[in-house]
Amino acid sequence: MSDSSEPRCPFLDPTAGAIHAEAAGLRGQGPAVLVELPGQVRAWSVTRHAVIQALTTDPRVSRDFRRHWPGIGEVPDGWVLGSVAFQDSLVNRYGDEHRRARGRIAPSFLPRRVKPMRPQVQATADRLVAALGALAPGERADLRGALARPLTMTLICDLFGVPEEMRERLGHLIDRALDSSLTEDAALAVQNELYERLGELATYKRARPGADLTTDLLLSDRPGEPPLAEHELVGTLFTMIAAGFETAVNLIASAALLVLTHPEQLAGLRAGRIGWTDVIEETLRVEGPIMYVPLRYALEDIDLGEGVVIAKGDPIMVGFAAAGRDPQEHPDRPDEFDPTRADKGHLAFGHGPHFCVGAPLARLEAEVALSTLFERLPELALAEPGRRPARLPSLIVNGPESVEVVPRPRTGGDRTRE
Ligand code: HEM
């Protein structure tokens, strides 16, 4: 926590309006920079590719807030980053506890389990893209709300057996839980309601078990292991449903926006010079859907060089999306979207023991969504080509709030008004 007698440190802007410029400034200042987060919480921001790789594989760094964050008592109730920092699930476990928790869920997302999901993803994409194609000439649609969000939400909710009537509210609450600009009162209300709704989901599935991953979690008692406690079950549902759709939504929305603002790359796709995989990996590099993940904690003093020592117990914010634009890693035009570049390396899915379990699924969803969209609607264009949509007000997720398009050519009358 900060105290008025301490020297000032940069404040991370919770509205994230200029998140890449902010990260670039911090990257230039050192391997880790002490910043102030909302709620007057101080943490080290880490934005360099190599330092992120080192810290995420360092056994002296934990994600267990209960055991390894001495300052936790000073965090305000309803802390806006608490929805992720205090998730009671694999994301905030350390060592063997983490391995056990990950073992319950990760096998369901292995490439061989994900590959057969393609027809299901394709069917949803077909339906959503057909609805976009049926709009009247010149009528606008938001690709985030009309394609990216329902596609990823439908898939993750189907996988976890979330009944239709719970989906909309759950999705809305998860969106709000990742908004870093909320007041503490608003964040607390959102977090409380979210856990209430997830508890209802657990109760519902206990009464109506099915062929879904929530039922698997309920039944996942393993020999020699205690059953999943209710709070961990609910925390895991939050992790999986939130991680499963908020991230992939942003990948699809950002990639669509980048392609629409780079017509030369769309021409390259059509001519077969590049493929959707190139576009997806380059989007992950330049617009990583996860900006920061709160939090990690130093188990002992960690000397990063350049005079920077993260003290034992200090919290750390790892900036995964910042790594992709690190000029040390990508000296050639690090901020520029160029799917033809040879090195599209990124840390968008994390690194080390917490590496994203959903990466194969996210890549599949993005490929199906983008290829279906651009193949079926070749005339797709931005509704306001000169205007850049606002970014989500979040330090955690990164992406455009909307991607307004006209799926079909405007009528002659509309064209003359432009
Ligand atoms: C483009 C889409 C995605 C991105 C960019 C992304 C990014 C990430 C990142 C950066 C982490 C590491 C967090 C850390 O180390 O602090 C992570 C972990 C995780 N992701 Fe993803 N993710 C995506 C999609 C998904 C999907 C579709 C799912 C679920 C189906 C998922 C489930 C998870 C889980 C459960 C973890 C925690 C793993 C652990 O703690 O061991 N993610 N993700």
Side-chain angles (χ1 to χ4, degrees):
M1 297 291 292
S2 64
D3 145 346
S4 52
S5 60
E6 289 178 36
R8 289 180 64 84
C9 61
F11 182 63
L12 281 194
D13 173 12
T15 69
I19 198 143
H20 292 302
E22 182 180 69
L26 292 167
R27 200 189 292 113
Q29 286 178 45
V33 179
L34 201 55
V35 293
E36 186 167 316
L37 306 174
Q40 292 188 299
V41 173
R42 283 190 172 190
W44 294 90
S45 156
V46 182
T47 47
R48 294 186 187 171
H49 184 109
V51 184
I52 294 175
Q53 279 186 317
L55 287 177
T56 48
T57 46
D58 190 329
R60 296 171 300 169
V61 176
S62 164
R63 291 208 51 172
D64 188 333
F65 57 92
R66 289 200 183 87
R67 282 196 286 161
H68 301 131
W69 192 10
I72 193 171
E74 294 164 59
V75 177
D77 279 347
W79 185 41
V80 281
L81 302 182
S83 61
V84 171
F86 301 143
Q87 253 172 55
D88 198 350
S89 75
L90 69 162
V91 285
N92 290 320
R93 298 276 185 277
Y94 172 71
D96 283 343
E97 277 186 12
H98 171 249
R99 273 186 288 281
R100 272 199 298 277
R102 191 172 161 109
R104 286 184 195 265
I105 196 78
S108 303
F109 295 93
L110 288 171
R112 70 183 156 78
R113 302 281 289 275
V114 166
K115 215 169 151 206
M117 296 178 198
R118 180 178 277 269
Q120 190 185 346
V121 180
Q122 186 65 62
T124 309
D126 287 347
R127 178 173 55 79
L128 296 167
V129 171
L132 285 169
L135 292 175
E139 204 177 328
R140 283 181 177 209
D142 168 23
L143 290 181
R144 184 183 180 94
L147 175 64
R149 197 171 189 283
L151 180 87
T152 54
M153 187 68 179
T154 301
L155 183 68
I156 202 75
C157 286
D158 286 352
L159 285 175
F160 280 86
V162 182
E164 206 59 56
E165 63 276 15
M166 288 189 189
R167 294 184 181 191
E168 199 183 314
R169 188 69 191 159
L170 208 51
H172 168 75
L173 289 167
I174 294 174
D175 286 343
R176 299 265 294 158
L178 296 172
D179 182 339
S180 314
S181 67
L182 294 187
T183 62
E184 279 157 17
D185 284 349
L188 187 61
V190 167
Q191 290 167 15
N192 286 342
E193 188 186 338
L194 186 53
Y195 279 99
E196 212 174 290
R197 300 284 169 143
L198 290 165
E200 284 166 16
L201 171 60
T203 307
Y204 179 96
K205 295 311 297 183
R206 262 193 200 97
R208 300 170 196 77
D212 57 65
L213 297 177
T214 305
T215 304
D216 290 356
L217 278 173
L218 286 164
L219 302 175
S220 75
D221 305 349
R222 296 164 171 218
E225 277 184 38
L228 209 55
E230 179 72 11
H231 56 91
E232 188 169 357
L233 171 70
V234 168
T236 306
L237 288 174
F238 180 16
T239 296
M240 297 311 303
I241 299 172
F245 94 96
E246 289 286 357
T247 50
V249 172
N250 287 307
L251 173 57
I252 296 167
S254 291
L257 181 61
L258 285 164
V259 167
L260 288 167
T261 47
H262 292 76
E264 73 288 2
Q265 303 299 352
L266 188 54
L269 275 159
R270 295 205 164 123
R273 287 193 295 278
I274 52 169
W276 283 109
T277 305
D278 299 309
V279 169
I280 291 164
E281 296 309 307
E282 179 66 349
T283 304
L284 287 163
R285 184 191 70 78
V286 84
E287 286 295 357
I290 298 278
M291 186 62 207
Y292 283 106
V293 178
L295 285 169
R296 287 173 155 80
Y297 315 95
L299 298 185
E300 49 187 86
D301 289 0
I302 301 175
D303 188 344
L304 295 177
E306 298 179 44
V308 174
V309 178
I310 298 183
K312 178 176 176 179
D314 276 0
I316 303 167
M317 288 273 275
V318 170
F320 289 111
R325 292 180 178 227
D326 183 349
Q328 287 289 330
E329 189 67 18
H330 299 283
D332 178 24
R333 302 162 294 131
D335 294 314
E336 208 174 292
F337 172 73
D338 178 5
T340 67
R341 72 171 72 233
D343 177 14
K344 297 185 268 287
H346 59 76
L347 300 178
F349 289 119
H351 189 68
H354 290 273
F355 184 83
C356 179
V357 305
L361 181 58
R363 286 182 165 120
L364 170 74
E365 290 178 288
E367 198 228 297
V368 170
L370 294 164
S371 60
T372 308
L373 176 70
F374 284 93
E375 278 158 26
R376 307 261 169 91
L377 303 178
E379 306 268 10
L380 190 70
L382 285 173
E384 292 177 60
R387 195 182 70 87
R388 213 196 143 78
R391 286 185 182 278
L392 295 172
S394 178
L395 290 170
I396 300 168
V397 281
N398 169 47
E401 266 189 336
S402 62
V403 182
E404 293 273 334
V405 291
V406 275
R408 297 177 61 199
R410 289 172 169 82
T411 58
D414 281 345
R415 248 182 231 285
T416 53
R417 277 206 297 275
E418 269 186 345

